[in-house]
Amino acid sequence: MASSTDTPAQPDRPPRPNTAFRQVRGRRSPAEFAALVRRAAREIGERVSCDARYVGRVEAGEIRCPNYAYERVFLHMFPGRTLADLGFAPRSAVRGRGARPAAPPNAVPVAGYEHPYDPLNHEESDVLRRAFMTGTGATVAAAATLGPLGIATDASAAARRPGTSEAAAVEEAVRRIRLLDDKHGADGLYRRAAEPLRAAYALLDAGATRQTTAERLHSSAGELAISVGWLAHDSGRFDDARSHYAEALATARMTGDAGLEAHAFCNTAFLARDAGRPREAVRAAQAAQRAARPLGSPRLMSLLALREAGGWAGLADRTACEQALVRAQALFGRGTCEADPEWMSFYGEAELAGLEAQCWSTLGDWRRATRHARRAARLQDPHFSRNIALYTAELADDLARDGHPDEAAGAGLRVLDLLAQVQSSRIHTMLAGTARVLLPHRRATGVADFLDRHASLPRPRRG
């Protein structure tokens, strides 16, 4: 598969908006169009991490020519049209002079990907040149170019103040972490993601050449802190996650970034719920809603209402939980819009159902929890392997507690099959709870098989 980097506009040439690409998007929001791009990629066996921000960069002219993977996808989506018809520059014009150079010696080839070094994107490849690999057994998680972002931290930093290419590098690191987590889960990724986070904040200390670049760096560094925090959260490192979320919140407060503040509080609420601090979860979710209200995104407000519902469920306040769930569903029903944050690409009907299932499970209403968990697993986009495993693990646990051990074992076995490619301590913890509930039911159909396979699982590795 081709590298996911594309050819940016030259730094000495202001980008020219791509009006042709904007026209083909039509009335769809950037997030909706990005979903169509990902779907088209799956149709032809490609995998691209397209999101609303990528669409925005293309339309703004920041990406003059897509990489080969995106080229194949766009030509598949719009048969009969050329890249020029879609507003892109000829590849030969972007390539510039010189033959294809050899890959740098410290670049790491990646299973399932072409070499991450791309001469058509020499600026970003210089600041995104180191890769990391994760995985155990037969599964090797895809690698991401999440190196030190090519920055200097000594006195020479003053001679190389960060510009647009460094800002783009941090943004790309965020995208790659999210892509890998969606596919493979957090275990094994966390330690390797800490290095680009340190580098991103070193870039902030170095000081950007322009105010717009500085704002972009602060926003992307904060998002990177949240992404790394989520890797810690999902792999059971709650103290580390809390620290990273607090770092993102401080960055948001310093720059007055309401979107970043809402995101940091959103994840803080989720962490507090998982850590057994439901009252903090409620307060953080309510703070997130205050920050997000001016942003004009009903979908974001819907997710934040679900975070609040999770806190109320933890407090055993069924009435407040139900009120928050009703509010979340009503807001979700308003649909998507251009104000929806890029990071919310995971939030669709499946996630709505999955989070509602967790609320009912916490309240002990196993029948309702089972219904919503089953719906979540059925609706989930196949790209989100981790979430499919998560929702199915939730289903298995709810079925076990609702007195259906045979169905619970079947769902648990499906999760065990997915663990060949998904590494998440959270899912392992859920399965362990299900196994304890099923122990007295070993004679039920499939239960012994599930218990034996679960007992033979290796302990999850933390990277």
Side-chain angles (χ1 to χ4, degrees):
M1 185 182 298
S3 164
S4 65
T5 53
D6 301 84
T7 305
Q10 297 300 315
D12 57 350
R13 179 186 306 168
R16 180 178 301 171
N18 187 337
T19 55
F21 196 86
R22 175 63 186 88
Q23 288 175 353
V24 300
R25 174 162 68 87
R27 300 181 64 180
R28 293 171 290 237
S29 73
E32 290 172 328
F33 188 76
L36 292 178
V37 173
R38 296 194 300 271
R39 186 180 308 152
R42 292 194 295 272
E43 291 173 357
I44 60 174
E46 285 289 357
R47 185 175 297 283
V48 295
S49 54
C50 188
D51 50 31
R53 189 183 291 266
Y54 178 90
V55 174
R57 291 181 67 203
V58 171
E59 293 178 359
E62 294 181 22
I63 295 175
R64 296 175 60 209
C65 185
N67 67 21
Y68 290 107
Y70 276 106
E71 176 182 354
R72 288 190 287 271
V73 175
F74 292 150
L75 297 183
H76 170 68
M77 292 177 68
F78 306 106
R81 301 196 192 191
T82 65
L83 287 182
D85 295 332
L86 298 175
F88 292 109
R91 197 172 297 282
S92 58
V94 175
R95 184 186 300 271
R97 63 184 183 278
R100 181 184 181 97
N106 61 344
V108 181
V110 177
Y113 287 81
E114 288 183 7
H115 207 288
Y117 180 73
D118 182 0
L120 300 184
N121 188 16
H122 57 88
E123 292 175 321
E124 285 193 295
S125 65
D126 179 54
V127 293
L128 289 168
R129 61 176 178 262
R130 283 174 51 180
F132 70 83
M133 299 185 68
T134 64
T136 57
T139 299
V140 178
T145 48
L146 297 175
L149 306 180
I151 65 170
T153 56
D154 55 17
S156 66
R160 187 186 176 187
R161 298 180 67 186
T164 56
S165 60
E166 283 77 16
V170 180
E171 291 166 350
E172 182 64 17
V174 175
R175 293 189 192 98
R176 287 186 175 266
I177 285 176
R178 290 173 181 164
L179 180 65
L180 289 175
D181 177 53
D182 289 340
K183 188 66 179 173
H184 300 287
D187 287 14
L189 300 181
Y190 172 58
R191 295 296 184 193
R192 292 163 177 82
E195 186 176 3
L197 179 60
R198 287 193 295 270
Y201 276 91
L203 285 172
L204 294 182
D205 288 339
T209 54
R210 295 182 178 181
Q211 181 61 29
T212 54
T213 303
E215 292 173 356
R216 187 175 166 189
L217 272 171
H218 274 89
S219 177
S220 55
E223 289 293 343
L224 185 56
I226 292 174
S227 292
V228 176
W230 168 248
L231 295 180
H233 180 171
D234 195 44
S235 55
R237 301 175 176 89
F238 288 176
D239 289 342
D240 288 351
R242 189 180 180 88
S243 176
H244 289 306
Y245 293 160
E247 186 172 39
L249 182 58
T251 302
R253 289 285 179 83
M254 283 189 294
T255 57
D257 189 332
L260 180 60
E261 181 176 349
H263 192 184
F265 271 129
C266 175
N267 278 43
T268 299
F270 199 13
L271 174 65
R273 190 209 70 170
D274 285 354
R277 298 190 298 270
R279 196 169 300 282
E280 180 185 330
V282 171
R283 290 198 301 267
Q286 291 173 343
Q289 290 169 78
R290 288 193 295 271
R293 195 165 287 116
L295 302 177
S297 169
R299 280 288 167 94
L300 175 56
M301 294 298 291
S302 172
L303 176 61
L304 299 177
L306 281 169
R307 295 288 188 244
E308 183 181 342
W312 289 124
L315 290 169
D317 191 331
R318 187 184 184 98
T319 299
C321 179
E322 288 182 333
Q323 290 173 346
L325 288 175
V326 169
R327 194 165 70 251
Q329 291 162 353
L331 288 162
F332 185 89
R334 296 184 188 178
T336 59
C337 69
E338 293 198 18
D340 296 341
E342 174 191 352
W343 58 267
M344 285 189 63
S345 59
F346 71 93
Y347 184 53
E349 288 186 85
E351 183 74 4
L352 174 66
L355 291 175
E356 184 164 357
Q358 292 174 10
C359 289
W360 293 120
S361 180
T362 302
L363 290 169
D365 191 333
W366 313 119
R367 187 158 300 177
R368 284 194 182 186
T370 296
R371 185 171 71 249
H372 288 286
R374 198 187 302 277
R375 174 177 168 80
R378 185 178 70 251
L379 291 176
Q380 184 58 66
D381 186 323
H383 166 69
F384 295 95
S385 302
R386 191 274 316 282
N387 280 359
I388 293 175
L390 178 68
Y391 301 149
T392 309
E394 175 72 35
L395 174 62
D397 196 62
D398 294 334
L399 285 166
R401 296 175 190 277
D402 195 33
H404 302 281
D406 50 346
E407 292 184 67
L413 289 168
R414 293 196 295 274
V415 179
L416 291 175
D417 291 338
L418 288 168
L419 290 184
Q421 59 178 315
V422 174
Q423 300 172 38
S424 167
S425 292
R426 188 157 58 120
I427 294 173
H428 278 270
T429 300
M430 293 172 69
L431 282 181
T434 303
R436 287 193 294 271
V437 175
L438 290 180
L439 273 175
H441 306 280
R442 178 174 283 273
R443 293 186 179 182
T445 305
V447 171
D449 188 14
F450 167 72
L451 292 175
D452 291 344
R453 284 187 57 186
H454 179 264
S456 67
L457 275 180
R459 294 179 63 86
R461 291 179 57 185
R462 292 184 174 185

